[in-house]
Amino acid sequence: QVQLQESGPGLVKPSQTLSLTCTVSGGYIGSGNYYWSWIRQPAGKGLEWLGRTYGSGNTDYNPSLKSRVTISIDTSRNQFSLKLTSVTAADTAVYYCARKGDIWGQGIMVTVSS
Amino acid sequence: EILLTQSPGTLSLSPGERATLSCRASQSVDISYLAWYQQKPGQPPRLLIYATSSRASAIPDRFGGSGSGTDFTLTISRLEPEDFAVYYCQQYGSSPLTFGQGTKLEIK
């Protein structure tokens, strides 16, 4: 069955760029009518959708993040990635990758601190 | 942006009781694009319901969804101990995709 796994640094310094990768196993990322999203959740708070990509490479972002977020897909590696620039403490959260809404990764905790 | 408001914030019930959770949208949501999730501590959200009323794979039939327009409901017919968790609604028909703030279902 399809599984997703987030990876990347757990600690990022303020003003730097947060970079995460989601590796998809058990299925091809470029097939089917799916989109691949990044969602985050600060400790004790709700869910915030950051954006998504399709197998075609088309993307769609949450305007609340203005121009800080970029999501890309690499079908040759069966991965998609998140880059969030100019991070602050407010970006500290568990970051999830998900296929549409039906399959989620376990999440990765990212702390922004010097 | 479509804002989703869930009520109540916390619902205290006993096992065996019926739970009714509400999700109200700031504008009309196509019924094809309204989902409900369950989240337990330390776990990712789990899809329960999509397209307003369709149960996701392996979801027990005590979970049901209904609604249209701006008002949607998740009903759990008879609460089991494992149902106590936080529940989120989500609309995915209009970008940005948005979630409600969650309803915590706790044991009374």
Side-chain angles (χ1 to χ4, degrees):
Chain A
Q1 72 281 21
V2 175
Q3 294 183 318
L4 281 65
Q5 180 67 59
E6 304 88 351
S7 60
L11 180 64
V12 182
K13 289 182 167 42
S15 80
Q16 293 192 341
T17 296
L18 181 161
S19 296
L20 298 175
T21 296
C22 183
T23 300
V24 179
S25 59
Y28 177 51
I29 197 171
S31 66
N33 187 25
Y34 298 117
Y35 54 83
W36 307 86
S37 288
W38 286 97
I39 300 107
R40 69 181 180 182
Q41 185 173 38
K45 296 189 177 180
L47 300 162
E48 180 183 25
W49 180 79
L50 306 182
R52 63 185 166 184
T53 185
Y54 293 81
S56 62
N58 289 343
T59 56
D60 185 14
Y61 301 124
N62 192 328
S64 69
L65 296 165
K66 298 180 183 177
S67 57
R68 295 199 298 134
V69 63
T70 303
I71 295 173
S72 58
I73 192 168
D74 185 340
T75 54
S76 67
R77 296 188 175 197
N78 234 33
Q79 296 176 333
F80 64 108
S81 300
L82 168 72
K83 289 190 187 301
L84 184 64
T85 61
S86 304
V87 298
T88 70
D91 296 309
T92 295
V94 175
Y95 285 75
Y96 295 104
C97 59
R99 184 186 82 170
K100 208 167 180 178
D102 61 340
I103 301 176
W104 293 60
Q106 284 301 304
I108 183 169
M109 178 67 205
V110 179
T111 301
V112 178
S113 175
S114 55
Chain B
E1 173 174 332
I2 297 177
L3 298 179
L4 299 179
T5 302
Q6 292 186 239
S7 61
T10 301
L11 184 58
S12 300
L13 293 171
S14 300
E17 291 192 293
R18 180 183 185 90
T20 302
L21 287 66
S22 174
C23 177
R24 179 162 290 177
S26 61
Q27 56 188 277
S28 186
V29 174
D30 187 320
I31 61 168
S32 298
Y33 301 111
L34 193 288
W36 289 92
Y37 296 86
Q38 176 193 70
Q39 188 178 33
K40 297 180 179 179
Q43 296 183 17
R46 173 194 181 196
L47 179 66
L48 299 175
I49 301 287
Y50 64 95
T52 298
S53 59
S54 297
R55 277 188 301 277
S57 177
I59 301 303
D61 61 7
R62 65 179 181 273
F63 290 92
S66 63
S68 64
T70 60
D71 290 307
F72 297 87
T73 300
L74 174 70
T75 302
I76 311 171
S77 58
R78 292 175 312 280
L79 286 166
E80 297 288 343
E82 62 267 26
D83 297 337
F84 292 91
V86 179
Y87 291 83
Y88 295 95
C89 58
Q90 182 206 29
Q91 67 80 22
Y92 52 103
S94 172
S95 186
L97 281 59
T98 50
F99 292 90
Q101 83 281 15
T103 289
K104 182 180 182 180
L105 179 56
E106 64 176 26
I107 299 177
K108 187 173 182 181

